Amino acid sequence: MDPKTYKFDTLSLHAGYQPGKNAGSRQVPIYQTTSYMFDDVDHAAALFNLERGGHIYSRMSNPTVQVLEERVCALEGGTAALATASGMSAIFLTIMTLCNAGDHMVVSSQLYGGTVNLFRLTLPKFGIKTTFVKPRDTEGFKKAIKPNTKGIFGELVGNPGNELMNMPEVSKIAKEAGIPLIIDSTYQTPYLCRPFEHGADLVVHSLTKWMSGNGSSMAGILVEGGTFDWMQNDKFPSMTEPYEGYHGLSFAEEFGPTAFTMMARAEGMRDMGPCLAPQNAWNILHGLETLSLRMEKHCSNALKMVEYLSNHESVAWVSHASAPGHPDKELAEKILPKGTGSMIAFGIKGGKEAGAAFINNVKLASHLANVGDARTLVIHPASATHSQMDEATLKFAGLSHDMIRLSVGLEDFEDIVNDFEDGFRAAKKPRLVANK
Amino acid sequence: MKFKVRGIDTFASTGGRPFDKNKPLIIFVHGSGLSHMVWVLQTRYFAFRGYSVLAVDLPGHGLSSGESLKTIEEMGNWVGDVIGAVGCKEASLVGHSQGCLVTMECVAQHPEKIKTLTLMGGASAIPMNPELLKLAEESNPKAVDLMMDFAHGPAGHFGGHPVPGLYHLNVGSMIVQNKEIKDTLGVDFRACDNYKNGPEVAKKLDLPTLSILGAQDRMCRLKDGKILADYIKGSEVKIIEDCGHMMLLEEADQTLEILKKFIAEHYPLPS
Ligand SMILES: Cc1ncc(COP(=O)(O)O)c(C=O)c1O
């Protein structure tokens, strides 16, 4: 006897939506709407007081966005989700729901540059301080925890150095300390890894990337695993004590496994308002329909790419968790059995100049500040995404001047290789190119 | 709120209002392996409309201490004791699934204390599939997956929760999985399987009773729910179309509307 609940590929097409409740429309309709009729004053009061479910105003929730939230939630195996205008707003909302002024976070040092800036520069303005720990330094996460630490945050596979954080072990450290583990799973998508199965309590995504794959829309999401007991200690008073904004509601008591998301919506979306546009939610839903198919091809193209680059005379080194000799290969095989994603970093012989020449001479691969598009993307982090960082921070984030970051797309592999050959040819004579 | 029942720390959600023993009391009793959290889309409404609400966690469940009670009869008796423990004399009861058996037993044992009874997804007996029972008693998480599969109707399997962003299959699953499965779900399933007094108890009930049934319920089938309602003198029956066993989450609004009308008519606020 096996449960007949729908599986991953089915959920990516159907979860969160019932045509029967939407005029029979097979595709999810775009509710390009801001506000929703109340039946009567009693109904209005009940909705405002979280006594019943439903929509009030699209800053808090919208019927199209709701489908996206439930769909991602189902794919991650979570209890609740909240979509936001971008990945950054999902991270900001998560931290602002978790922390008060005077609190502290322990954070992996290998993160998307924007996230580093948020923790290093912006959150201190709100009195929230951070200790950064290198992703492989599992014990370091433990040592960095202080009495006022409210969570551990990291990307499973650090950007752009491809170092793995030992999520199962770090989750044990978080559990021991009675704080949640938050994973930015943008690079994995639930197709490659479902962090709740490895001890994470909250997951955030930039949906702008692989989840949509079409490079059309900004979006982010917070997903709750329903695993964390907010009442186990007195570290989270805003979750456990009566909340003035809702007549003394205790989110943890009333909503249990969905308490964090309920709070993030009721307080964060109400007061900060980074709501996702319905059209963008729909664009992301469209991409999600083919998530498995795309991720499979992203990963197989990436494997071929690692092999090609590893054997290339112009390449000094290749970093991808599947590459022979990668220090985290074993861990990757355990928690990322379907593939380690399509982000590759490699060092080009000839350093910074050669790197610039390569980038300037590829034509098919797009030079831009994004990852996870269906198209192949390249960038030179030291001069672009991470350019706001000083030398020391750059080094701490695991970056070098010869590094090229590559997000492998779904094009025919031969075409990508031909394009790269042009880039490498130019990189061998950077001065000529520079003078052209 | 926390209070003592038979000397043991007991938790009940009061629906977000301070408990007031002078207001009419409604007690909500959850199903197998679950907790007060399944009732949030019914309890808050009544708590903010002049009633005192207790969505109890049975012993050993949710935030209540102690060990799970082993029989439906003991659970029914315990619910009766809750009323006195909070300083009240009487209450209306609302039960879901196993909670229907428990609340019926409570009425049978404490008829003078109970004013109305609402049964959601009920049947006069809830025999367990032996394989499911075994998995639950072994704390195998597959028991929870099977339970969530059976408990949700075809529409419920797609999601579409009334509260934006909640995926209710996983909400129910996490409520059960956050406890040791064999100590809550395992004990509860065994208690349901052993309970045989349903028809006799139902035939003796003599109070306003409402049955809310899901047309697509695969846990306690519609026909079994109707048989139970037929045993109960004058029982009202409301059927929710396109809904499984978890009507309190799957069709939370319809469930609340039906309950509101019944309570307003049979257990009104003092004027
Ligand atoms: C891992 C990761 N997290 C978060 C973000 C931020 O997401 P967004 O650009 O959607 O705000 C990015 C963007 O590149 C990212 O790569």
Side-chain angles (χ1 to χ4, degrees), chain A residues 142-347:
Chain A
K142 189 171 183 167
K143 287 195 197 117
I145 293 173
K146 306 178 190 184
N148 62 339
T149 303
K150 295 300 158 76
I152 300 179
F153 181 99
E155 292 174 21
L156 174 57
V157 182
N159 172 21
N162 282 310
E163 289 182 26
L164 259 73
M165 174 178 178
N166 193 330
M167 180 164 42
E169 288 305 315
V170 175
S171 104
K172 283 183 203 154
I173 291 166
K175 278 196 178 60
E176 234 168 73
I179 54 175
L181 173 63
I182 307 149
I183 295 291
D184 178 339
S185 204
T186 301
Y187 281 37
Q188 283 71 54
T189 82
Y191 174 82
L192 293 181
C193 178
R194 307 206 318 162
F196 300 137
E197 290 169 3
H198 303 281
D201 301 293
L202 299 168
V203 166
V204 290
H205 285 279
S206 165
L207 300 176
T208 317
K209 314 288 156 50
W210 290 264
M211 293 288 258
S212 76
N214 45 44
S216 70
S217 310
M218 301 297 300
I221 201 161
L222 153 69
V223 192
E224 182 167 8
T227 43
F228 192 78
D229 176 8
W230 302 101
M231 296 166 82
Q232 65 181 292
N233 53 39
D234 56 6
K235 286 181 191 289
F236 306 97
S238 54
M239 299 290 298
T240 55
E241 282 173 14
Y243 181 75
E244 224 186 286
Y246 285 90
H247 297 289
L249 169 68
S250 156
F251 282 89
E253 251 184 47
E254 290 290 307
F255 298 110
T258 63
F260 191 80
T261 314
M262 292 298 290
M263 173 95 183
R265 192 187 299 275
E267 181 184 69
M269 292 310 263
R270 186 194 60 188
D271 302 349
M272 291 178 256
C275 54
L276 177 59
Q279 174 72 59
N280 283 0
W282 190 88
N283 293 344
I284 310 276
L285 276 167
H286 222 71
L288 272 183
E289 294 187 348
T290 54
L291 180 65
S292 290
L293 296 171
R294 288 185 293 105
M295 289 311 287
E296 227 177 284
K297 177 90 191 272
H298 273 299
C299 287
S300 65
N301 265 1
L303 284 183
K304 288 186 213 165
M305 202 66 199
V306 167
E307 198 189 341
Y308 158 73
L309 291 171
S310 303
N311 295 316
H312 203 286
E313 52 170 15
S314 299
V315 173
W317 53 268
V318 180
S319 169
H320 186 257
S322 75
H326 190 283
D328 305 314
K329 202 166 168 16
E330 206 175 305
L331 178 64
E333 277 163 8
K334 199 171 103 195
I335 47 183
L336 296 164
K338 284 186 179 165
T340 47
S342 56
M343 290 303 297
I344 299 173
F346 66 92

Side-chain angles (χ1 to χ4, degrees), chain A residues 54-72:
Chain A
H55 303 288
I56 298 174
Y57 189 56
S58 285
R59 184 174 353 105
M60 263 82 75
S61 67
N62 165 284
T64 305
V65 177
Q66 169 178 6
V67 178
L68 174 66
E69 290 169 339
E70 278 196 46
R71 192 159 299 177
V72 175

Side-chain angles (χ1 to χ4, degrees), chain A residues 1-2 4-5 15-16 18 21 42 49-54 66 70 78-81 226 249 253-254 256-257 265, chain B residues 13 36-37 44-45 48-49 131 142 146 149 155 158-162 164-167 169-170 178 251 253 257:
Chain A
M1 193 166 55
D2 285 308
K4 294 196 177 64
T5 38
Q18 298 180 22
K21 290 185 175 168
D42 184 66
N49 197 30
L50 305 180
E51 292 161 19
R52 52 197 297 171
Q66 169 178 6
E70 278 196 46
T79 51
L249 169 68
E253 251 184 47
E254 290 290 307
R265 192 187 299 275
Chain B
S13 160
H36 69 276
M37 284 159 197
R44 288 179 61 75
Y45 183 86
F48 281 86
R49 299 292 182 293
E131 197 179 330
K142 194 170 154 187
L146 285 165
D149 176 12
F158 291 114
H161 195 282
L166 267 59
Y167 192 66
L169 263 102
N170 294 346
N178 283 339
E251 290 295 345
D253 272 358
E257 286 304 321

